[in-house]
Amino acid sequence: MLQQLYKNLRHPRQAAMFRFLKIGNNILYGFFLSLLSAVFFSPQIVSTIVKTTKGLSFIFIPLTFIFYYIMLCAAAFFFVTVLALAVLPVKTVLRRRLNYLQLWSLTVNAITWPTLLFACINLFKELPAWSIWLYILACYLMAANLVSAIPKPRGKTAVRPGRTRPSG
């Protein structure tokens, strides 16, 4: 997973190769990415809980974090599924041969940069509500970029008239 994170951050176009991994690896990567995001987003949540619950915060902080992580994972996987559907026309326009499972895997890897970038920014400054649209746009562009990184399928080689294929 760390190697997958490193490749996604360092060489995003080479991350298109992760579409060949088993789906379980990409699902696990999605959980890992959600955990990183939860850790970056959680300081605001923890401080809010500490302010509101005071004495019971030691009980509620871990429970709230776990509940927050579960909800974040559900939202992330729903978002990846919808984003993969939105990228289907890009695949068609660029004439890339991908099935939905590969497209879904590409999309999980495509959200790495936007997710970590927005999570880190949120650590220092609270993001406005409209920034979700920037996040969606950035994820869509990264997914389209990964689809374009996939080589076009080779065409069938036509045999010229009067020539035969070598037998062998």
Coordinates of all heavy atoms in Angstrom, one line a residue, residues 48-109:
T48 N -13.8 19.9 18.5 CA -15.2 20.2 18.7 C -15.8 19.3 19.7 O -16.6 19.7 20.6 CB -15.9 20.0 17.3 OG1 -15.3 20.9 16.4 CG2 -17.4 20.4 17.5
I49 N -15.4 18.0 19.7 CA -16.0 17.1 20.7 C -15.5 17.4 22.1 O -16.3 17.3 23.0 CB -15.6 15.6 20.3 CG1 -16.4 15.2 19.0 CG2 -15.9 14.6 21.4 CD1 -15.9 14.0 18.4
V50 N -14.2 17.7 22.2 CA -13.7 18.0 23.5 C -14.4 19.2 24.1 O -14.7 19.3 25.3 CB -12.1 18.3 23.4 CG1 -11.6 18.9 24.7 CG2 -11.4 16.9 23.1
K51 N -14.7 20.2 23.3 CA -15.4 21.4 23.8 C -16.8 21.1 24.2 O -17.3 21.7 25.2 CB -15.4 22.5 22.7 CG -14.1 23.1 22.4 CD -14.2 24.1 21.2 CE -12.8 24.6 20.8 NZ -12.8 25.4 19.6
T52 N -17.5 20.3 23.5 CA -18.9 20.0 23.8 C -19.1 19.0 24.9 O -20.1 19.0 25.6 CB -19.6 19.6 22.5 OG1 -19.0 18.4 22.0 CG2 -19.7 20.7 21.5
T53 N -18.2 18.0 25.0 CA -18.5 16.9 25.9 C -17.6 17.0 27.2 O -18.0 16.4 28.2 CB -18.2 15.5 25.3 OG1 -16.8 15.5 24.9 CG2 -19.1 15.2 24.2
K54 N -16.6 17.8 27.2 CA -15.7 18.0 28.4 C -15.3 16.7 29.1 O -14.4 16.1 28.6 CB -16.3 19.0 29.3 CG -16.6 20.3 28.6 CD -16.4 21.5 29.5 CE -16.4 22.7 28.5 NZ -17.1 23.7 28.7
G55 N -15.9 16.3 30.2 CA -15.5 15.2 31.0 C -15.6 13.9 30.3 O -14.8 12.9 30.6
L56 N -16.5 13.7 29.4 CA -16.7 12.4 28.7 C -15.9 12.3 27.4 O -16.0 11.3 26.7 CB -18.2 12.2 28.4 CG -19.1 12.2 29.6 CD1 -20.6 12.1 29.1 CD2 -18.8 11.1 30.5
S57 N -15.0 13.2 27.2 CA -14.2 13.2 25.9 C -13.4 12.0 25.7 O -13.2 11.5 24.6 CB -13.4 14.5 25.7 OG -12.5 14.5 26.8
F58 N -12.8 11.4 26.8 CA -12.0 10.2 26.6 C -12.7 9.0 26.1 O -12.2 8.1 25.5 CB -11.3 9.9 27.9 CG -10.2 10.9 28.3 CD1 -10.4 11.8 29.4 CD2 -9.1 11.0 27.5 CE1 -9.4 12.7 29.7 CE2 -8.1 12.0 27.9 CZ -8.3 12.8 28.9
I59 N -14.0 9.0 26.4 CA -14.9 7.9 25.9 C -15.3 8.2 24.5 O -15.3 7.3 23.6 CB -16.1 7.7 26.8 CG1 -15.6 7.3 28.2 CG2 -17.1 6.7 26.2 CD1 -16.7 7.3 29.2
F60 N -15.7 9.4 24.2 CA -16.3 9.8 23.0 C -15.3 10.0 21.8 O -15.7 9.9 20.7 CB -17.3 11.0 23.1 CG -18.5 10.6 23.8 CD1 -18.8 11.2 25.1 CD2 -19.4 9.8 23.3 CE1 -20.0 10.9 25.7 CE2 -20.6 9.4 23.9 CZ -20.9 10.0 25.2
I61 N -14.1 10.4 22.1 CA -13.2 10.7 21.1 C -12.8 9.5 20.2 O -13.0 9.5 19.0 CB -11.9 11.4 21.6 CG1 -12.2 12.8 22.1 CG2 -10.8 11.4 20.6 CD1 -11.0 13.5 22.8
P62 N -12.5 8.4 20.8 CA -12.2 7.2 20.0 C -13.5 6.7 19.3 O -13.4 6.3 18.1 CB -11.7 6.1 21.0 CG -11.4 6.8 22.2 CD -12.1 8.1 22.2
L63 N -14.6 6.7 19.9 CA -15.8 6.3 19.3 C -16.2 7.2 18.1 O -16.7 6.7 17.1 CB -17.0 6.2 20.3 CG -16.9 5.1 21.4 CD1 -18.0 5.2 22.4 CD2 -16.9 3.8 20.7
T64 N -16.1 8.5 18.3 CA -16.4 9.4 17.3 C -15.4 9.3 16.1 O -15.9 9.3 14.9 CB -16.3 10.9 17.8 OG1 -17.2 11.0 18.9 CG2 -16.7 11.9 16.7
F65 N -14.2 9.1 16.4 CA -13.2 8.9 15.3 C -13.5 7.6 14.5 O -13.5 7.6 13.3 CB -11.8 8.8 15.8 CG -10.7 8.7 14.7 CD1 -10.4 9.8 14.0 CD2 -10.2 7.4 14.4 CE1 -9.5 9.6 13.0 CE2 -9.3 7.3 13.4 CZ -8.9 8.4 12.7
I66 N -13.9 6.5 15.2 CA -14.2 5.3 14.5 C -15.5 5.5 13.6 O -15.5 5.1 12.5 CB -14.4 4.1 15.5 CG1 -13.0 3.8 16.1 CG2 -15.0 2.9 14.8 CD1 -13.1 2.8 17.3
F67 N -16.5 6.1 14.2 CA -17.7 6.4 13.5 C -17.4 7.3 12.3 O -17.9 7.1 11.2 CB -18.8 7.0 14.4 CG -20.1 7.3 13.7 CD1 -20.9 6.3 13.3 CD2 -20.4 8.6 13.4 CE1 -22.1 6.6 12.7 CE2 -21.6 8.9 12.7 CZ -22.4 7.9 12.4
Y68 N -16.6 8.3 12.5 CA -16.2 9.2 11.4 C -15.5 8.5 10.3 O -15.8 8.7 9.1 CB -15.4 10.4 12.0 CG -14.9 11.3 11.0 CD1 -15.7 12.2 10.3 CD2 -13.5 11.4 10.7 CE1 -15.2 13.1 9.4 CE2 -13.0 12.2 9.7 CZ -13.9 13.1 9.1 OH -13.4 14.0 8.1
Y69 N -14.6 7.6 10.7 CA -13.8 6.8 9.7 C -14.7 5.9 8.9 O -14.6 5.9 7.7 CB -12.7 6.0 10.4 CG -12.0 5.1 9.5 CD1 -11.2 5.6 8.4 CD2 -12.1 3.7 9.6 CE1 -10.5 4.8 7.6 CE2 -11.4 2.9 8.7 CZ -10.6 3.4 7.7 OH -10.0 2.6 6.9
I70 N -15.7 5.3 9.5 CA -16.6 4.4 8.8 C -17.5 5.2 7.8 O -17.7 4.8 6.7 CB -17.5 3.6 9.8 CG1 -16.7 2.6 10.6 CG2 -18.7 3.0 9.1 CD1 -17.3 2.0 11.7
M71 N -18.0 6.4 8.3 CA -18.8 7.2 7.4 C -17.9 7.8 6.2 O -18.4 7.9 5.1 CB -19.4 8.4 8.2 CG -20.4 7.9 9.2 SD -21.7 6.9 8.6 CE -22.6 8.0 7.6
L72 N -16.7 8.1 6.5 CA -15.8 8.6 5.5 C -15.5 7.6 4.5 O -15.5 7.8 3.3 CB -14.5 9.2 6.1 CG -13.5 9.9 5.2 CD1 -14.1 11.2 4.7 CD2 -12.2 10.2 6.0
C73 N -15.3 6.3 4.9 CA -15.0 5.2 4.0 C -16.3 5.0 3.1 O -16.1 4.8 1.9 CB -14.7 3.9 4.7 SG -13.1 3.9 5.4
A74 N -17.4 5.0 3.7 CA -18.7 4.8 2.9 C -18.8 5.9 1.8 O -19.1 5.7 0.7 CB -19.9 4.8 3.8
A75 N -18.6 7.2 2.3 CA -18.7 8.3 1.3 C -17.6 8.2 0.2 O -17.9 8.5 -0.9 CB -18.5 9.6 2.1
A76 N -16.4 7.8 0.6 CA -15.3 7.7 -0.4 C -15.6 6.6 -1.4 O -15.4 6.9 -2.6 CB -14.0 7.4 0.4
F77 N -16.1 5.5 -1.0 CA -16.3 4.4 -2.0 C -17.5 4.8 -2.8 O -17.6 4.4 -4.0 CB -16.5 3.1 -1.3 CG -15.2 2.5 -0.8 CD1 -14.9 2.4 0.5 CD2 -14.3 2.1 -1.7 CE1 -13.7 1.8 0.9 CE2 -13.1 1.5 -1.3 CZ -12.8 1.4 0.0
F78 N -18.5 5.4 -2.3 CA -19.6 5.9 -3.1 C -19.1 6.9 -4.1 O -19.5 6.8 -5.3 CB -20.7 6.5 -2.2 CG -21.9 7.1 -3.0 CD1 -22.8 6.2 -3.5 CD2 -22.0 8.4 -3.2 CE1 -23.9 6.7 -4.3 CE2 -23.1 8.9 -3.9 CZ -24.0 8.1 -4.4
F79 N -18.3 7.8 -3.7 CA -17.7 8.8 -4.6 C -16.9 8.2 -5.7 O -17.0 8.6 -6.9 CB -16.9 9.9 -3.8 CG -16.2 10.9 -4.7 CD1 -16.9 11.8 -5.4 CD2 -14.8 10.8 -4.8 CE1 -16.3 12.7 -6.2 CE2 -14.2 11.8 -5.6 CZ -14.9 12.7 -6.3
V80 N -16.1 7.2 -5.4 CA -15.3 6.5 -6.4 C -16.2 5.8 -7.4 O -15.9 5.9 -8.6 CB -14.3 5.6 -5.7 CG1 -13.7 4.6 -6.7 CG2 -13.2 6.3 -5.0
T81 N -17.2 5.2 -6.9 CA -18.1 4.5 -7.8 C -18.8 5.5 -8.8 O -18.9 5.2 -10.0 CB -19.2 3.7 -7.0 OG1 -18.5 2.8 -6.1 CG2 -20.1 3.0 -7.9
V82 N -19.3 6.6 -8.3 CA -20.0 7.6 -9.1 C -18.9 8.2 -10.1 O -19.2 8.5 -11.3 CB -20.7 8.6 -8.3 CG1 -21.2 9.8 -9.1 CG2 -21.8 8.0 -7.5
L83 N -17.7 8.5 -9.6 CA -16.7 9.1 -10.4 C -16.3 8.2 -11.5 O -16.1 8.6 -12.7 CB -15.5 9.5 -9.6 CG -14.4 10.3 -10.2 CD1 -14.9 11.7 -10.7 CD2 -13.3 10.6 -9.3
A84 N -16.2 6.9 -11.3 CA -15.9 5.9 -12.3 C -16.9 5.9 -13.4 O -16.6 5.8 -14.6 CB -15.7 4.5 -11.7
L85 N -18.2 6.0 -13.0 CA -19.3 6.1 -14.0 C -19.2 7.4 -14.8 O -19.4 7.4 -16.0 CB -20.6 6.1 -13.3 CG -21.1 4.7 -12.7 CD1 -22.3 4.9 -11.9 CD2 -21.3 3.8 -13.9
A86 N -18.8 8.5 -14.1 CA -18.6 9.8 -14.8 C -17.4 9.8 -15.8 O -17.4 10.5 -16.8 CB -18.4 10.9 -13.8
V87 N -16.5 8.9 -15.6 CA -15.3 8.9 -16.4 C -15.5 7.9 -17.6 O -14.7 7.9 -18.6 CB -14.0 8.5 -15.6 CG1 -12.8 8.3 -16.4 CG2 -13.8 9.6 -14.5
L88 N -16.6 7.1 -17.6 CA -16.9 6.2 -18.7 C -16.9 6.9 -20.1 O -16.3 6.4 -21.0 CB -18.2 5.5 -18.5 CG -18.1 4.2 -17.6 CD1 -19.6 3.7 -17.3 CD2 -17.4 3.2 -18.3
P89 N -17.5 8.1 -20.2 CA -17.4 8.8 -21.5 C -16.0 9.2 -21.9 O -15.7 9.2 -23.1 CB -18.3 10.0 -21.3 CG -19.2 9.7 -20.2 CD -18.4 8.8 -19.3
V90 N -15.2 9.5 -21.0 CA -13.8 9.8 -21.3 C -13.1 8.6 -21.9 O -12.4 8.7 -22.9 CB -13.0 10.3 -20.1 CG1 -11.5 10.5 -20.4 CG2 -13.6 11.6 -19.5
K91 N -13.3 7.4 -21.4 CA -12.8 6.2 -21.9 C -13.2 6.0 -23.3 O -12.5 5.6 -24.2 CB -13.2 5.0 -21.0 CG -12.9 3.7 -21.5 CD -13.7 2.6 -20.8 CE -15.0 2.5 -21.4 NZ -15.4 1.2 -21.9
T92 N -14.5 6.3 -23.6 CA -15.1 6.0 -24.9 C -14.5 7.0 -25.9 O -14.1 6.7 -27.0 CB -16.6 6.2 -24.9 OG1 -17.1 5.3 -23.9 CG2 -17.2 5.9 -26.2
V93 N -14.4 8.3 -25.5 CA -13.9 9.3 -26.4 C -12.4 9.1 -26.7 O -12.0 9.2 -27.9 CB -14.0 10.7 -25.8 CG1 -13.2 11.8 -26.5 CG2 -15.5 11.1 -25.7
L94 N -11.6 8.7 -25.7 CA -10.2 8.4 -25.9 C -9.9 7.0 -26.5 O -8.8 6.7 -26.8 CB -9.4 8.5 -24.6 CG -9.4 9.9 -24.0 CD1 -8.7 9.9 -22.7 CD2 -8.7 10.9 -25.0
R95 N -11.0 6.2 -26.7 CA -10.9 4.9 -27.3 C -9.9 4.0 -26.5 O -9.0 3.4 -27.1 CB -10.5 5.0 -28.8 CG -11.5 5.6 -29.6 CD -11.1 5.5 -31.1 NE -12.1 6.3 -31.9 CZ -11.8 7.3 -32.7 NH1 -10.5 7.6 -32.9 NH2 -12.7 7.9 -33.4
R96 N -10.1 3.9 -25.3 CA -9.3 3.0 -24.4 C -10.2 1.8 -24.1 O -11.4 1.9 -23.8 CB -8.9 3.7 -23.1 CG -8.0 5.0 -23.3 CD -6.8 4.7 -24.2 NE -5.8 5.7 -24.1 CZ -5.6 6.6 -25.0 NH1 -6.4 6.7 -26.0 NH2 -4.7 7.5 -24.8
R97 N -9.5 0.7 -24.1 CA -10.2 -0.6 -23.8 C -10.1 -0.8 -22.3 O -9.1 -1.4 -21.8 CB -9.7 -1.7 -24.6 CG -10.5 -3.0 -24.5 CD -10.0 -4.0 -25.4 NE -10.0 -3.6 -26.8 CZ -9.2 -4.1 -27.7 NH1 -8.4 -5.1 -27.5 NH2 -9.3 -3.7 -29.0
L98 N -11.1 -0.5 -21.5 CA -11.1 -0.7 -20.1 C -12.5 -1.2 -19.7 O -13.5 -0.8 -20.2 CB -10.9 0.6 -19.3 CG -9.6 1.3 -19.4 CD1 -9.7 2.7 -18.9 CD2 -8.6 0.6 -18.6
N99 N -12.5 -2.2 -18.8 CA -13.8 -2.5 -18.2 C -14.1 -1.7 -17.0 O -13.2 -0.9 -16.5 CB -13.9 -4.0 -17.9 CG -12.8 -4.5 -16.9 OD1 -12.4 -3.7 -16.0 ND2 -12.3 -5.7 -17.1
Y100 N -15.3 -1.8 -16.5 CA -15.6 -0.9 -15.3 C -14.8 -1.2 -14.1 O -14.4 -0.3 -13.4 CB -17.1 -1.0 -15.0 CG -17.5 -0.1 -13.9 CD1 -17.7 1.2 -14.1 CD2 -17.7 -0.6 -12.6 CE1 -18.0 2.1 -13.1 CE2 -18.0 0.2 -11.5 CZ -18.2 1.6 -11.8 OH -18.5 2.4 -10.8
L101 N -14.4 -2.4 -13.9 CA -13.6 -2.8 -12.8 C -12.2 -2.1 -12.8 O -11.7 -1.5 -11.8 CB -13.4 -4.3 -12.7 CG -12.7 -4.9 -11.5 CD1 -13.5 -4.6 -10.2 CD2 -12.5 -6.4 -11.7
Q102 N -11.6 -2.1 -14.0 CA -10.3 -1.4 -14.2 C -10.5 0.1 -14.0 O -9.7 0.8 -13.4 CB -9.7 -1.7 -15.6 CG -9.3 -3.1 -15.7 CD -8.8 -3.4 -17.1 OE1 -9.3 -2.8 -18.1 NE2 -7.9 -4.4 -17.3
L103 N -11.6 0.6 -14.5 CA -11.9 2.1 -14.4 C -12.1 2.4 -12.9 O -11.6 3.5 -12.5 CB -13.1 2.4 -15.2 CG -13.3 3.9 -15.6 CD1 -12.1 4.4 -16.4 CD2 -14.6 4.0 -16.4
W104 N -12.7 1.6 -12.2 CA -12.9 1.8 -10.8 C -11.6 1.8 -10.0 O -11.3 2.7 -9.2 CB -13.9 0.8 -10.2 CG -14.4 1.1 -8.8 CD1 -15.5 1.8 -8.5 CD2 -13.7 0.8 -7.6 NE1 -15.6 1.9 -7.1 CE2 -14.5 1.3 -6.5 CE3 -12.6 0.1 -7.2 CZ2 -14.2 1.1 -5.2 CZ3 -12.2 0.0 -5.9 CH2 -13.1 0.5 -4.9
S105 N -10.7 0.9 -10.4 CA -9.4 0.8 -9.8 C -8.6 2.1 -10.1 O -7.9 2.6 -9.3 CB -8.7 -0.4 -10.3 OG -9.3 -1.6 -9.8
L106 N -8.7 2.5 -11.4 CA -8.0 3.8 -11.8 C -8.5 5.0 -11.0 O -7.7 5.8 -10.5 CB -8.2 4.1 -13.3 CG -7.4 3.3 -14.3 CD1 -7.8 3.6 -15.7 CD2 -5.9 3.6 -14.1
T107 N -9.8 5.0 -10.7 CA -10.4 6.1 -10.0 C -10.0 6.1 -8.6 O -9.7 7.2 -8.0 CB -11.9 6.0 -10.1 OG1 -12.3 5.9 -11.5 CG2 -12.6 7.3 -9.6
V108 N -9.8 5.0 -7.9 CA -9.4 4.9 -6.5 C -8.0 5.5 -6.5 O -7.6 6.3 -5.6 CB -9.3 3.5 -6.0 CG1 -8.5 3.4 -4.7 CG2 -10.7 3.0 -5.8
N109 N -7.1 5.2 -7.5 CA -5.8 5.8 -7.5 C -5.8 7.2 -7.9 O -4.9 8.0 -7.5 CB -4.9 4.9 -8.4 CG -4.6 3.6 -7.8 OD1 -3.9 3.4 -6.9 ND2 -5.3 2.5 -8.4

